Amino acid sequence: MYTLGTATSCLQRESVAPMTATAILCIVIPSFRGMQLPTVPSTGDDNNNNNHETTPSPLCRPVFQPSIWELIRQSLKRCGDTDTFGGEGGDSGGRGTSLLSRGARDGVSSTFGYDDDVSTYDRAAIDQLLRRRSAHILRLLIEYERDSLLRNGSKKKGKGKDRRGKESQDGNIDKQKHADMWMKYVLCFEMLEMEIEIHLVDQVWTTVKELSSEASMNKLEDGNESADKLPSIVWEDVSSLLCRVLLSDAPTLRKLGLYRFLCGDTGIRVTSVATEKDQDDNSRAFMRKAESKCKVKKKSGGAYVTITTVSVSFVLDIVMRSYDSIVGTKVGTNMQIDEGGQQKSEKVADLLSQFLSNYVAALAESSEDGSVLSEFLARILAVITTLKWRSLVLLFRAVAAAVDRTASQKYTLEQETVRAAIKDMLSTFSSGGAPRSLQEGLRQDLSLMLKNAVPWKRPDASIVLDVLSLYPPQDDPMDNKESETHSLTRSALETWILGLGDGQWANTAAPVCASAYVMGEMLPFNEKIDILSGVNTLERTLGMAISLLCTLTGNASEMLWPAIFKGLQKPPSASSHKAIRSMILLEWGCREEALSGMGNGDIVTDKQNCMLPPPPNVEFLLNHAVQLLMSQVMEIKTCLGGKAEKSGATRSQASGQASSYIYTLINQIRVLHLSFPSSASISHAVNAMLKNCADSLKQSSSDATDGPIETVVTLTLCYASLSCDAKFDDATELEQLLSTCEAIMTAELSQVKGNSMRRDAIQALRSIFHYAKWGSLSLIVPMINEAAKKQPSGSEMASGSIQQIYEKMITSANEAVDSTPVIALPPLFACTTSCGEYLVEVEDVGSNGTSLLSSIKVISETLFAVLKEETASSTWMHMLSSMCNLLFSPKLLLHEYQNSYVDGDHKNMPVMQSFEKLIEMGSALKPHINIVAVSYISVAWLGNKESIDQDVGIAAIPYRDHIAELLVYKEPKFDESSANQSSTGDRHDVLPQTTDSSSITRAFVLSFLSKVPSPENLSDVVLKELVHHIILKLVDACCLHPAKGKPFITGSEEYSKMMRSWQALCLLSRFVTSDIANEVAEKVFQAMANLSHGQIRYFMECFTIQCTRKHPSIFGQSYINEIRRNDLSLQYVSSLMIIGGNLTVGKYSNDFFHSKSDKKIKEILCGVLPWLSSTQGFSRAIAQLLVYKLIPLVIDVENSDGSGAIEQDDAVLRSVYLFLQQNQDMSRVRVKQQNFFDSYDVDTACQFEGLLAFEVDDGDEASPVHMVDAIKECLADVYKEVHDEDAPEWKQMEDLLISAEGDNQCSSIPDNDELVNFQRKILPVDALDLRIQSLHENKKFNAAGNKKQSLIVCATLVDKVPNLAGLARTAEIFAAETLVLPNTLVKKQDDFKSISASANDWIDMEECKEENLLIWLHKKKSQGYTIVGLEQTSSSKCLTRFNFPDKVVLLLGKEKEGIPVEFLSAVDQCIEIPQLGIIRSLNVHVSGALTIWEYTSQMMRRNRK
């Protein structure tokens, strides 16, 4: 036994020793668990380990062995490979197959268990096996201990009541409670380890909370204190328990576990004490919990585990990884719960964020030295590359906000930790996986963490600059949202920088770093500056960081200007390294707005508020800076000479680098101009440069004397000057602009003669040429447009010239897209859109010409071609918005409608074709494209602001079919890290804040329809051709019959379209006029007769109520005709009664019937009365309420006058009324229902804001509370009240005794089912085969642990859901191997779940379509199965006389036709059931059940033999 103890203590080995130890213990524990054995200490007790040979060890049973407990605890907390979880949607795993099914890593399963080669199995499978073995060992030990306590208690019972005996009895009770607690732990562990059914797992939390309460009072012991006492349950044990659900292989269970943990349902105090609310076990129920059939003791309140007890590793390695595994999957992070009978959606992300905030605050308060909080922050900075973007942003956001609020200077961040985090961030940013908005958020959060950390005493300047290199200046100061984030970030960085060292470090280090940078002391100078090598990114990044450092000190001008002066004090050459770096510092200082005007951040103005020029010393430096930039441009001539050759890939790279280099130079000139707009040096230089370039371009276009290099240099200088707002003389400005524009357009890159230039240089030259050409045109076109506005209104000649030039430019751009480098595409795009805007503006809407549409077609082709080539996210989204702004203008849409659509020329509609192309681009994985396109065009459909009501919506007529489709469009869920998804939130202001993310596109369309004037103010053309067309199209879609008469599956595409169609119809109900009322009424009641979910029926009923109020004669008569039918389904008649109740006795009664003598009310009453005897409680309850409300409208219920037939009828109605009024049960129901009709707010449901305000379900669809559901809840409450009040005295006394049972001391040992308040369908771990087995071996046993029969029931030809559900139930009960269905989606239908009684959760199901059945049958025959068909044929055998082989496929036929002939050819034998009656056929489910039992009985007899 000592050898066994030594084996159990070998925990330092990764897998082999624990596997060996647990295998031995599983075998020997049942035989030795009652023996007194020498104590084997745990591995942590070195003294005992060293002295075990000389010092006799005390004796104790295995349940008290410290080493065994250490082995169990270490094994139970093993988590396997958490990097690999189950699939996004399906729930794999559980019941012994979650991880063991992975088998060996090489895909070869061993038939001899793990003993062949443990290393071939993945860690997850081994860890799962260790956990289950350890749980089995723990169960064996605890069960024996509980039995021992029971036996000892029985022996001591009846002994004297002396003091010693009482103390012994009390100690025995304490031990019993302790053992019971461990047994609860085992039962919970088995449930969470093996169960995958969410409704069963969700019952375990009461017991988990009890275990947490117990753990809150204990601390981890060293394991060697007592030889007769079980170890206490501590937090480490509870965390091992929670790991089982948080790291489950089933994503739905992971989400459930997260939700329960974050809500505090596991016993963790997740909120601060001040805001702690009473955690009621029944207040939050994922589903209605099944009541335990066992009588359980009264639950004790217990204490919560403080949030600081949760370890840092548990939060980051378990909780965050669990959340990360469901982000971006089909499971989602929204949780649908029942709260007080109401469906409610909660976001797990919000709960996690709140938990992290509270966790940080608690760590800050509980730790004096901040060591734990410091560890937590350091670990967070280390997970940047391991989490998904959304998880990472949530983690950083919550923690940063918390430390900024509660933990200022209570933790430390090591400099090397920060350096590593910066490296990870830069690596992640450069990979292009994160949207820009998320990057900005991470930067801000990091700055807050640095701001609140304890300042570094001796900062490393290189690490500080590495941090600052993450924070470039703001690109768009006009972006308010970005500006706010930028301001908060800079404020945090400033606090951090000014606190470093002794508080003066930044003021000392910043000027030193600036000077050292210019002098080349921080980075070595490049040997040669080559345009083909591009921009030195490292130099620019370092320069940016130094400029930011100087800016944050508050004295940027005093620190930067001296360093800049060192490089620009002399007229620089293009190759001056110091001058180039000084220019970089000057550029970044200007971008930071630290250098401008006087050089101290202020722009000086005179008394007339005119800007004064900079002082002479600044002008001096600016003059040298401009000279440097111009000389660098001129270096093109030198750098692109020579004859050396490079490879094709190198040439392409050099081309891009050269364009990037020129782009940087031009941006530097532009920045200088924007920062010093009053500088005479810059102004004179750029104006002169523009004039010279224009003259040179005109000259070269006339005689073509310039070589290619001279042309490129001229265009580059022209682009540079235009970037600085260079101007021509005002007198001839338009003329010179037009001539310069034509010269630029006609500029060509002439061929280089001979071999005077390298091919890589030629390619670079061509790249720069296109970039400079289209860049110049993109700036000169807006100047032409502005100059044209200044011309006299009668100058048509200038306008005609401009149009001709622009049309040529548009054609040229269209031809040049494919040959233009990527960097030149944005200016080409901008040039094209500017031309298009001018052409649209000057075009007369009433003109009959089609030249504009022809130009727009070319423009559209060009813009789409550019979008196809451009990939940068921010640029792409900006171009998309610009294109939509141009194409979807009200004027252009109206022009296209009048000149093409009305004439029937649908091919000449480029705007509509562009819209269709955008919708096609965004239909699948890019919903943001649809959002942008629809946000623009929905506004354009309304027309100009000055449009009268008659013209509103006329331009939308060509798009009516698209509008109908967009009303049911649902944005797919997409990963936030996808490319080109920048926010379009600036156009979301028109949408309600309650708009769901999957409804943004249709919300814009709904917004448009809500702004269309009422029918009386709308033109007939728009009303009939647009609105009526959409209504009828939607109504037709709503009449779609579900397949086989069953409701559409919740969350399916059909369900979504049906739901959104009815919602759109509610908004459009005000447009249902008498022209279409009859047709709409007919189709609405036809659709209402179909089976559909209550959520859909809610909007269906709202639409019908609105239409009936508007057209009572049409819809009212149709309603009466329908409710008096005697063939209505329960669901249909319930809707009719809800509609009738709202229109007759609800808040809308005045709109329908006004007179008590109205015959229509009597007809409605006649239609409702028969349903008082309905077999369904909810329809009977609605009928009772409606009848009770209607009878007083028909007769006088108080008085009875006269006699005769009429009075007899009135007497009958009066007696019914009095019964409903006076009967106690009826009164109970009515009191709870009395406000139902009054609370039906149809008007809100038919408004734009109201439609988007409903809570959404897991499928992101509206989830209103339907009246039928409310009545069902009401009936359940009434039923409970009645049974509580009418319970007999003996029942009430029994309940009291059970309630008081928990207050009395009891020496009996409760059964396992009495210990926990949850149902368990799983088999205990000790009934499992605890070896590693292949997936094939695991599938031989069903959920109950019994071996499956080799029987496959094939129901492919069965199409009725009740029969399929019954077969599932029968097949599971008799342990069939597999049930084959025509479609496995049928499992999700409510009636299938109800009839199958959860059998679908426990039996393997396979899908096989009828068209594939023949192939499937032959495949099974090849696998050794005998195909047996249940069919009456000439050669069929009697069921009772047929000997079934072992392996059988039972083929069932169709409901009426049986097995088709083509499948009989594959059948080996047909059998038939003997019949003694007249009817010649049985129900297919009954026939299948009889045959399955006959097969089972034969196999049982065969096995007994």
Side-chain angles (χ1 to χ4, degrees), residues 691-876:
K691 187 177 184 307
N692 293 334
C693 291
D695 294 340
S696 178
L697 287 170
K698 296 172 188 176
Q699 180 67 26
S700 62
S701 62
S702 61
D703 55 19
T705 56
D706 286 348
I709 295 180
E710 287 77 9
T711 303
V712 169
V713 170
T714 303
L715 280 174
T716 304
L717 293 175
C718 181
Y719 185 23
S721 61
L722 289 170
S723 299
C724 298
D725 292 337
K727 304 291 184 184
F728 289 107
D729 295 335
D730 291 340
T732 59
E733 182 183 15
L734 181 57
E735 181 182 348
Q736 294 188 68
L737 286 172
L738 290 175
S739 60
T740 303
C741 182
E742 284 192 288
I744 295 173
M745 285 177 53
T746 57
E748 297 291 342
L749 197 63
S750 59
Q751 295 293 329
V752 180
K753 298 180 181 179
N755 295 324
S756 60
M757 186 179 294
R758 308 192 310 259
R759 279 192 288 178
D760 61 323
I762 295 175
Q763 193 164 340
L765 200 66
R766 186 178 296 110
S767 177
I768 298 172
F769 170 79
H770 285 290
Y771 174 66
K773 175 181 177 179
W774 291 109
S776 300
L777 291 174
S778 68
L779 295 176
I780 207 170
V781 168
M783 295 171 66
I784 293 174
N785 294 345
E786 288 297 323
K789 293 179 182 178
K790 301 176 184 178
Q791 297 297 309
S793 58
S795 58
E796 298 180 0
M797 184 176 297
S799 177
S801 300
I802 295 173
Q803 290 189 50
Q804 291 179 4
I805 293 174
Y806 283 3
E807 289 173 358
K808 292 180 182 178
M809 194 181 303
I810 291 169
T811 304
S812 176
N814 183 262
E815 296 172 351
V817 171
D818 293 336
S819 60
T820 302
V822 173
I823 197 171
L825 290 176
L828 183 147
F829 189 96
C831 177
T832 306
T833 53
S834 296
C835 293
E837 289 171 357
Y838 178 84
L839 295 177
V840 173
E841 183 179 354
V842 300
E843 183 72 19
D844 184 5
V845 177
S847 64
N848 296 325
T850 58
S851 60
L852 175 61
L853 295 179
S854 301
S855 299
I856 291 298
K857 183 176 182 180
V858 178
I859 291 173
S860 173
E861 293 174 356
T862 305
L863 299 184
F864 276 109
V866 173
L867 287 178
K868 184 179 179 180
E869 296 293 334
E870 178 59 50
T871 57
S873 178
S874 58
T875 307
W876 199 93

Side-chain angles (χ1 to χ4, degrees), residues 65 95 187 223 242 535 660 726 1016 1247:
Q65 288 281 355
R95 302 195 194 103
L187 296 175
L242 295 177
V535 180
S660 176
E1016 55 270 16
Q1247 294 175 356

Side-chain angles (χ1 to χ4, degrees), residues 215-222 232-236:
S216 66
M217 299 179 286
N218 303 320
K219 293 183 178 179
L220 188 63
E221 306 149 349
D222 61 10
S232 301
I233 293 179
V234 294
W235 161 249
E236 286 74 11

Side-chain angles (χ1 to χ4, degrees), residues 37 42 99 158 185 187 192 264 297 354 372 414 417 518 542 662 710 744 1047 1057 1085 1130 1184 1234 1327 1394 1399 1498:
L37 304 174
S42 62
L99 295 174
Y185 182 87
L187 296 175
L192 297 180
K297 293 184 179 181
Q354 184 62 42
V372 181
E414 298 296 333
T417 301
V518 172
L542 184 57
I662 298 301
E710 287 77 9
I744 295 173
K1057 288 184 177 180
F1085 287 106
L1130 288 172
Q1184 290 169 3
Q1234 61 186 357
S1394 175
Q1498 290 188 21

